[in-house]
Amino acid sequence: MSSFDQSKAYAAQEEEGAFFDDGREIELLHFVYSHPNIENIRGSPENVLAAIDEYGRTKKYLMNVGEDKGRIVTDLIAEVKPKQMVELGGYVGYSCILFGSAVRKAGGERYFSLERDPAFAAVIMSLVDLAGLSDLVKVIVGSSDESIARLASSGQLKHIDLMFLDHYKPAYTTDLKLCEELGLVTKGSVLAADNVIKPGNPPYLRYVRSSVEEKIKEAGEGGATKLDGIAETNVKMYEKRYGRAKFSESKGNPHLKYESKLVNSYEPTGVPEQSLGVAQLKILLHKA
Ligand SMILES: C[S@@+](CC[C@H](N)C(=O)[O-])C[C@H]1O[C@@H](n2cnc3c(N)ncnc32)[C@H](O)[C@@H]1O
């Protein structure tokens, strides 16, 4: 893994519960639209991303995937050439603009960004429009499981070629199972899941690494949502606004077997792992 360029580090993440949804997402919009370079930002995904990064570096931390981890996924997009790509968790649109632009370059047709928070979704739509990607990107507002089910039943989404999971740790596994059951994730689908090592998502890692036999057995036992090993702060992260989380109870398709690998990278803050515990992150890529 190459070293982190400290000159690009985002502002440090504030205390748990105080690093998002405090008005900074709207402040970001004002920052971008009043930027002295706004005329060069219009229609340029790279310059919109640079302006978002500038806010993250000089104003406040933003929970974006960032440049380093982002490169892992853009390389994957160039390799997989997805026609349809889905992301779970859009926040202010950083990954959506970065990956949507890469999907377009790779000849893709549609990028769905699923975001539950309507205010964040409005920020995504505004910045996606500014970047000139509105024809390719569709932002879907609502809880990921309900949105996935709606997109599938309406026929808007028939297959997921590549999916980026970056929303709510306990829902990685339950949403993946739903996508499997609906036939959206099939052999050949590729998934990239952020934050699976630190802060960590043991139930998800276990699921994608399980054998078919183990998954058939678990599905037969009812397979209740597992939260073990996921940090409590992550489990409760959205409770203040949305209350206790509800999950899809899909049993998935236990016959799918994933190959998986971990890729080292950095959070956009670049803080060493020991200091913050979330700095040197790993991203999991796997193929059904
Ligand atoms: C880490 S942020 C996403 C960052 C974004 N992928 C990026 O790199 O630019 C997680 C986002 O997931 C959203 N989220 C959390 N639970 C969700 C759910 N069940 N369905 C859809 N979105 C959800 C949050 O509102 C938040 O905006």
Side-chain angles (χ1 to χ4, degrees):
M1 185 175 68
S2 56
S3 60
F4 184 82
D5 177 354
Q6 283 299 338
S7 70
K8 294 182 165 181
Y10 273 26
Q13 191 186 58
E14 298 89 339
E15 268 177 35
E16 209 56 60
F19 60 84
F20 70 102
D21 203 10
D22 60 352
R24 72 185 65 195
E25 295 80 14
I26 301 298
E27 196 180 289
L28 167 71
L29 270 191
H30 287 287
F31 177 85
V32 174
Y33 278 92
S34 61
H35 199 284
N37 201 26
I38 185 68
E39 285 319 315
N40 294 322
I41 290 175
R42 275 183 209 288
S44 164
E46 293 74 22
N47 291 347
V48 175
L49 293 169
I52 301 175
D53 280 332
E54 187 183 334
Y55 178 94
R57 285 168 192 151
T58 62
K59 304 288 180 196
K60 287 180 190 148
Y61 169 82
L62 295 170
M63 55 174 168
N64 302 334
V65 66
E67 201 176 302
D68 282 69
K69 284 191 284 173
R71 200 172 307 114
I72 298 166
V73 181
T74 50
D75 286 350
L76 192 65
I77 292 170
E79 186 190 320
V80 173
K81 297 186 178 40
K83 285 258 168 298
Q84 310 239 47
M85 177 162 173
V86 171
E87 77 174 1
L88 306 182
Y91 190 41
V92 292
Y94 190 95
S95 53
C96 180
I97 293 169
L98 181 63
F99 303 156
S101 170
V103 167
R104 170 181 278 170
K105 284 186 195 143
E109 288 161 4
R110 183 58 87 206
Y111 188 96
F112 288 103
S113 176
L114 276 48
E115 171 54 53
R116 176 168 55 184
D117 189 300
F120 298 167
V123 175
I124 306 174
M125 288 181 215
S126 177
L127 294 178
V128 161
D129 185 55
L130 184 65
L133 291 168
S134 296
D135 53 339
L136 179 99
V137 172
K138 188 127 179 63
V139 181
I140 309 291
V141 187
S143 180
S144 47
D145 52 343
E146 291 167 10
S147 298
I148 290 165
R150 208 170 342 101
L151 284 171
S153 67
S154 66
Q156 288 183 77
L157 180 61
K158 294 195 166 64
H159 189 254
I160 297 175
D161 303 315
L162 183 51
M163 180 155 74
F164 178 57
L165 296 89
D166 190 23
H167 59 332
Y168 176 56
K169 310 269 154 320
Y172 279 29
T173 318
T174 53
D175 282 346
L176 172 56
K177 286 184 182 173
L178 178 65
C179 290
E180 290 177 349
E181 185 180 313
L182 294 171
L184 298 171
V185 164
T186 63
K187 190 166 186 299
S189 295
V190 179
L191 317 170
D194 197 4
N195 306 127
V196 291
I197 300 297
K198 272 188 171 292
N201 199 333
Y204 180 80
L205 284 185
R206 212 171 31 245
Y207 182 73
V208 294
R209 289 168 167 179
S210 293
S211 66
V212 167
E213 293 70 28
E214 285 164 338
K215 288 197 283 188
I216 290 173
K217 184 165 176 278
E218 192 183 304
E221 288 163 358
T225 307
K226 300 208 169 54
L227 304 176
D228 52 303
I230 301 179
E232 203 183 333
T233 45
N234 288 122
V235 174
K236 297 199 161 150
M237 189 161 164
Y238 300 103
E239 257 183 28
K240 201 166 82 188
R241 187 168 291 274
Y242 293 102
R244 249 191 119 102
K246 291 197 285 297
F247 301 97
S248 150
E249 289 177 8
S250 169
K251 291 190 176 161
N253 174 359
H255 297 280
L256 289 175
K257 191 167 183 302
Y258 295 93
E259 265 170 39
S260 63
K261 65 173 177 176
L262 292 167
V263 186
N264 292 305
S265 196
Y266 293 97
E267 272 285 84
T269 50
V271 181
E273 191 174 328
Q274 289 79 358
S275 315
L276 196 68
V278 289
Q280 190 180 334
L281 284 186
K282 303 193 179 191
I283 194 162
L284 180 77
L285 308 177
H286 42 87
K287 206 169 175 173

